[in-house]
Amino acid sequence: MAVSAAPVLQLFLPQDSKTLNPSPLDLLQTAPDLKSLQQIHAQILKSQSPQTPQITNKLITLYSLYNQMDSAQLTFQRTPIKQTFTWNMMIRGFSTHGFPQKALEFYSQMLHSNTPPDKFTYPFVLKACSAVSAIDEAQEAHGRAIRSGVASDIYIATALVDFYSKLGEVNVARQVFDDIPVKNVVSWNAMIAGYAFNGFDSDAVEGFREMLESGFEPNSSTVVSVLPAVARLEDLQEGKFIHEWVVRKGMELNEPILNSLIAMYGKCGELGYARQLFDEMPKKNDVSWSAIISVYAQKGSHTEALNLFHHMRILGVNPTAITVASVLSACADLVDLKQGTKIHGFCVKSGFELDLIVSTALVDMYAKCGCIEEAQWAFDVMPERNVVSWNAIISAYGLQGRGEDALVMFSRMQQDGIKPNKSTFVSIISACSHAGMMAEGLNCFHLMRRSYNIVPETKHYACVVDLLGRAGCLKEAYRFIERMPIAPDDVVWGALLGACRIHKDVVLGELVAKKIFELKPDEPSYYVLLANIYAAEGRWGDAQKLREVMNERKMKKEAGHSMIEEAGVPHSFIAGDFRHPEWEEIHKKMEEIGERLKNEGHRPDTSYVLHEVDEGLKDDRLAIHSERIALAFGLLKIGTGVPIRITKNLRVCGDCHTAFKMVSKIYGREIIVRDLNRFHRFEGGLCSCRDYW
């Protein structure tokens, strides 16, 4: 039904203007909503009055404002005279509303129509280029802006800073930024965000300080950009400075800022303060919950992360993909397969299973719970994969000691056109190391630079040292370190010291330990490693001297403990732990296991007893290792047909490893042990690691 001009006019004009005869442009100026705009447009078309550039430009502007780009494009096509402003409105509308390719198409048509762009054209063209990584188009626009003398315009320059930053060309972005004659808050924000986006965290923090010193007042966008950089640096002092500044400026109740502060404090180890900020938030959204849950998961408070997740769901707050990935990570670190499976079910019902971040977290969770088949299945059903997904499945096979399978996945990754990154090579070289595949591991190391132009970092060199050391090539590993183009750190030397312990090379162990103590004089794990080397060779005096040094410097080694779950309840044990309420039953089971092992010919390897005691006591010391207590508990409580899953925070004892193989055969049970480095799947008297770990 046609709408007359008079009723439409009466909707928008003041009472004393109703007798006037408004122009179509006047009507458009007063349109309060989309429906009114469409009514006025219909009336203009019905009147068949000439549509001036001012009218069509206003129509296109309003349709773009209401995200009605189809109507805007139809109006554009009917416009006989297309001015620069007309083209700009179309480019701006498509760029702003998420159609970057269409924006670039219109820009190209604009150039072919010989309509000259102006300084208002380029910011939205560059925004579209940034969205689709259109490098050639952006550089063409940049060059055209320079030739037309508008490149230093604040809006164009800021768009260029944003584009080059997202492209990873931070130095170019900084050059453009420095050339801006008069900067504003938005240009500073673009540069700081660019630094943070590309991992130049120190530069982002320095930029924030420089911005303040230059007399500019940061806004909420500035703070939200710089706080993640502070978090990654774990610079608590800088974080507190920014927090205090936020409070002084009255921005402390801003939700995005509060969420960023929670993440920052958590990353800096201030879990209590992060939780206080969260609890005191007047209004919590899904991002707030995600921030606090991620904080707990990343800092090892996995049970609390899971509790918060369940509480969040009870309150009816829908989790984000990041939240779900965080709790799956918590399940992985807890080796809580039951909870992980439940959350997987939630993912399927909620549609999260198709999310790339969540599906990758599922692969990691199943892998770290020892379920490699489920991890492979989760990987196979992923609708899309990126380099992180491939790294997860390669690492999964590495943890299981299945180096051949890890190499197969590495090959498939390359065939699928996914370029490996630095983390990929850490995973694949480590997988080769744990599988005794020295030649293959070395080939992967050389492939880094030869085929992918990736410069090895200390973590890659440490993997190669571990690869050589585990294979018994200790001298080769030492020479490899000496030839490194970068200075070896304690991790590199530590890999060789660990190999010296495995192969009982005291002389080289002492030499390596001396170098480590110069780099890390107060790290207890290295003192313990050398003491273990001495103890294995019966050099009890030297081992005791190291322990005395540790006592004098108040260094405490991490206590070994093993965890097993039964009926959803975790049970943790330490060596010689008599505190468990069912200790008597556990002790009887341990005696039974010891007797059956003895009958099968097991003789304890007392070289793993690291203190000087009588030979008769050494057998007893081995029998009460934490993993042995957990095993006895598992045999008591976990029904046949169900794998016994044990997690140990340190490397599993060699004698316990031998005993577990025999127990798996004697009792006909599958036993899965995840220690500090990898998984051991004991079944039928054999271990998946093939005694190479």
Side-chain angles (χ1 to χ4, degrees):
M1 181 177 174
V3 181
S4 63
V8 172
L9 175 64
Q10 290 172 6
L11 289 172
F12 316 127
L13 294 182
Q15 190 68 28
D16 57 359
S17 301
K18 290 182 181 179
T19 57
L20 300 177
N21 187 22
S23 69
L25 191 59
D26 291 332
L27 287 171
L28 289 172
Q29 296 283 13
T30 55
D33 52 41
L34 176 60
K35 184 177 180 181
S36 302
L37 170 62
Q38 292 169 332
Q39 289 176 340
I40 295 169
H41 192 186
Q43 186 64 31
I44 291 171
L45 293 172
K46 184 180 178 182
S47 69
Q48 296 185 344
S49 60
Q51 294 189 35
T52 64
Q54 290 88 345
I55 292 174
T56 54
N57 287 343
K58 189 65 178 177
L59 282 166
I60 292 169
T61 301
L62 290 172
Y63 277 126
S64 297
L65 179 67
Y66 291 121
N67 194 15
Q68 299 294 309
M69 293 311 299
D70 288 341
S71 298
Q73 186 169 351
L74 187 61
T75 305
F76 177 86
Q77 291 167 347
R78 291 173 176 171
T79 302
I81 302 173
K82 298 177 176 68
Q83 303 170 326
T84 297
F85 181 86
T86 317
W87 287 98
N88 285 353
M89 287 301 99
M90 292 303 299
I91 294 168
R92 175 182 179 175
F94 281 121
S95 181
T96 302
H97 294 299
F99 302 98
Q101 203 60 57
K102 285 286 279 185
L104 294 178
E105 288 173 14
F106 267 78
Y107 174 62
S108 178
Q109 293 171 25
M110 178 185 188
L111 296 178
H112 282 99
S113 71
N114 293 320
T115 306
D118 62 15
K119 67 178 184 179
F120 300 106
T121 312
Y122 297 111
F124 295 102
V125 170
L126 291 165
K127 180 179 180 180
C129 289
S130 181
V132 293
S133 299
I135 301 171
D136 293 340
E137 291 86 342
Q139 290 177 336
E140 185 277 336
H142 189 182
R144 192 178 290 271
I146 291 172
R147 290 192 297 274
S148 60
V150 297
S152 60
D153 176 83
I154 186 69
Y155 299 106
I156 296 173
T158 299
L160 284 166
V161 170
D162 179 70
F163 171 76
Y164 284 117
S165 294
K166 288 179 178 173
L167 193 65
E169 298 287 347
V170 183
N171 291 333
V172 179
R174 181 69 201 213
Q175 184 178 344
V176 172
F177 175 78
D178 288 339
D179 289 341
I180 300 174
V182 181
K183 300 173 179 64
N184 63 11
V185 172
V186 180
S187 57
W188 276 102
N189 285 356
M191 192 66 251
I192 291 168
Y195 278 132
F197 178 79
N198 287 282
F200 290 77
D201 297 323
S202 296
D203 294 296
V205 173
E206 186 178 336
F208 180 81
R209 291 277 191 169
E210 190 180 345
M211 181 181 183
L212 287 172
E213 291 167 3
S214 299
F216 291 92
E217 184 159 301
N219 58 21
S220 60
S221 296
T222 325
V223 178
V224 170
S225 291
V226 75
L227 279 174
V230 175
R232 287 189 293 270
L233 291 169
E234 298 187 20
D235 190 341
L236 182 60
Q237 184 176 353
E238 187 67 30
K240 286 182 175 180
F241 167 78
I242 294 173
H243 190 183
E244 289 168 2
W245 184 90
V246 164
V247 173
R248 286 200 307 272
K249 297 299 177 181
M251 300 161 66
E252 69 272 19
L253 297 181
N254 179 286
E255 281 185 24
I257 290 178
L258 274 173
N259 293 336
S260 298
L261 284 168
I262 289 168
M264 181 276 294
Y265 277 114
K267 186 73 172 170
C268 291
E270 293 287 337
L271 287 180
Y273 202 68
R275 182 58 181 267
Q276 182 182 337
L277 283 176
F278 175 79
D279 290 340
E280 292 175 354
M281 285 184 76
K283 182 181 178 183
K284 302 175 180 68
N285 58 17
D286 54 350
V287 180
S288 314
W289 283 94
S290 179
I292 192 65
I293 289 171
S294 297
V295 159
Y296 278 113
Q298 290 167 5
K299 288 299 179 180
S301 297
H302 307 305
T303 302
E304 186 60 26
L306 287 167
N307 290 339
L308 280 166
F309 177 71
H310 295 313
H311 187 50
M312 173 188 188
R313 291 185 60 198
I314 290 169
L315 293 176
V317 181
N318 293 321
T320 65
I322 298 296
T323 317
V324 177
S326 294
V327 292
L328 284 170
S329 174
C331 292
D333 288 332
L334 284 171
V335 197
D336 192 339
L337 181 61
K338 185 176 181 181
Q339 285 285 349
T341 305
K342 283 183 179 179
I343 294 170
H344 187 181
F346 166 78
C347 292
V348 173
K349 293 176 184 176
S350 307
F352 278 116
E353 191 180 29
L354 301 179
D355 181 270
L356 182 59
I357 296 173
V358 172
S359 53
T360 300
L362 282 167
V363 173
D364 185 64
M365 183 274 293
Y366 280 120
K368 289 180 177 175
C369 287
C371 303
I372 191 63
E373 291 80 11
E374 288 80 356
Q376 182 66 63
W377 175 84
F379 179 82
D380 289 339
V381 300
M382 291 176 71
E384 60 174 319
R385 304 181 186 99
N386 62 9
V387 65
V388 181
S389 314
W390 283 99
N391 289 352
I393 194 65
I394 291 169
S395 178
Y397 280 113
L399 279 171
Q400 296 283 338
R402 292 168 60 170
E404 297 90 346
D405 293 310
L407 282 172
V408 168
M409 299 308 293
F410 181 57
S411 178
R412 277 183 55 189
M413 173 187 187
Q414 295 170 87
Q415 291 168 10
D416 279 11
I418 303 297
K419 184 179 178 181
N421 61 13
K422 293 177 180 179
S423 296
T424 314
F425 284 100
V426 169
S427 296
I428 192 63
I429 298 170
S430 179
C432 291
S433 176
H434 285 287
M437 300 166 63
M438 186 174 73
E440 294 85 348
L442 289 173
N443 181 58
C444 289
F445 176 73
H446 295 306
L447 196 68
M448 285 179 64
R449 195 188 293 270
R450 186 174 65 238
S451 298
Y452 295 101
N453 199 30
I454 297 175
V455 179
E457 297 177 354
T458 51
K459 56 189 175 184
H460 301 102
Y461 288 107
C463 286
V464 174
V465 171
D466 186 65
L467 176 79
L468 294 168
R470 286 180 187 276
C473 302
L474 301 182
K475 292 180 180 178
E476 291 83 350
Y478 187 83
R479 285 196 293 268
F480 177 82
I481 296 174
E482 287 187 313
R483 292 194 299 267
M484 281 174 56
I486 56 177
D489 62 7
D490 65 294
V491 178
V492 173
W493 286 113
L496 183 52
L497 186 61
C500 291
R501 179 196 60 184
I502 293 170
H503 297 287
K504 300 180 180 179
D505 190 326
V506 180
V507 175
L508 183 59
E510 288 179 322
L511 176 62
V512 171
K514 183 179 179 181
K515 293 182 179 293
I516 294 176
F517 296 156
E518 291 173 357
L519 294 169
K520 287 276 185 176
D522 296 317
E523 174 51 54
S525 60
Y526 297 125
Y527 288 85
V528 172
L529 258 179
L530 182 58
N532 291 352
I533 293 172
Y534 284 142
E537 289 296 298
R539 291 174 57 174
W540 303 110
D542 292 323
Q544 182 59 34
K545 286 178 184 177
L546 281 175
R547 293 192 182 95
E548 289 172 0
V549 170
M550 291 177 66
N551 289 333
E552 288 172 6
R553 298 185 183 181
K554 298 181 179 179
M555 292 187 287
K556 291 184 179 180
K557 73 167 189 172
E558 185 177 8
H561 61 82
S562 298
M563 192 274 291
I564 185 170
E565 187 175 293
E566 185 263 330
V569 179
H571 298 262
S572 184
F573 300 95
I574 60 173
D577 195 346
F578 312 120
R579 299 168 301 170
H580 195 278
E582 298 178 75
W583 169 248
E584 289 187 10
E585 289 182 65
I586 296 170
H587 183 64
K588 287 178 182 177
K589 194 67 177 178
M590 290 173 66
E591 288 183 334
E592 175 197 308
I593 295 169
E595 193 63 32
R596 296 189 68 172
L597 283 171
K598 185 177 179 180
N599 292 338
E600 291 292 327
H602 174 61
R603 294 294 176 265
D605 185 348
T606 56
S607 68
Y608 289 100
V609 178
L610 303 177
H611 292 272
E612 187 176 15
V613 293
D614 293 337
E615 285 297 319
L617 293 176
K618 288 184 178 181
D619 291 359
D620 295 337
R621 287 281 181 99
L622 291 170
I624 57 172
H625 278 184
S626 64
E627 57 264 52
R628 297 275 268 271
I629 302 174
L631 174 61
F633 181 83
L635 289 171
L636 272 173
K637 295 293 184 178
I638 298 173
T640 56
V642 179
I644 297 171
R645 300 177 184 275
I646 298 169
T647 306
K648 185 175 181 181
N649 65 323
L650 302 177
R651 185 178 185 269
V652 67
C653 160
D655 182 69
C656 290
H657 189 272
T658 302
F660 273 48
K661 286 195 298 181
M662 296 182 70
V663 168
S664 71
K665 183 178 181 180
I666 293 168
Y667 287 86
R669 300 297 298 267
E670 181 183 5
I671 307 164
I672 300 172
V673 178
R674 175 179 158 191
D675 72 3
L676 180 65
N677 297 318
R678 62 181 302 162
F679 275 95
H680 302 266
R681 188 185 295 265
F682 301 95
E683 196 168 14
L686 300 173
C687 179
S688 60
C689 77
R690 291 170 290 187
D691 299 336
Y692 191 92
W693 86 100

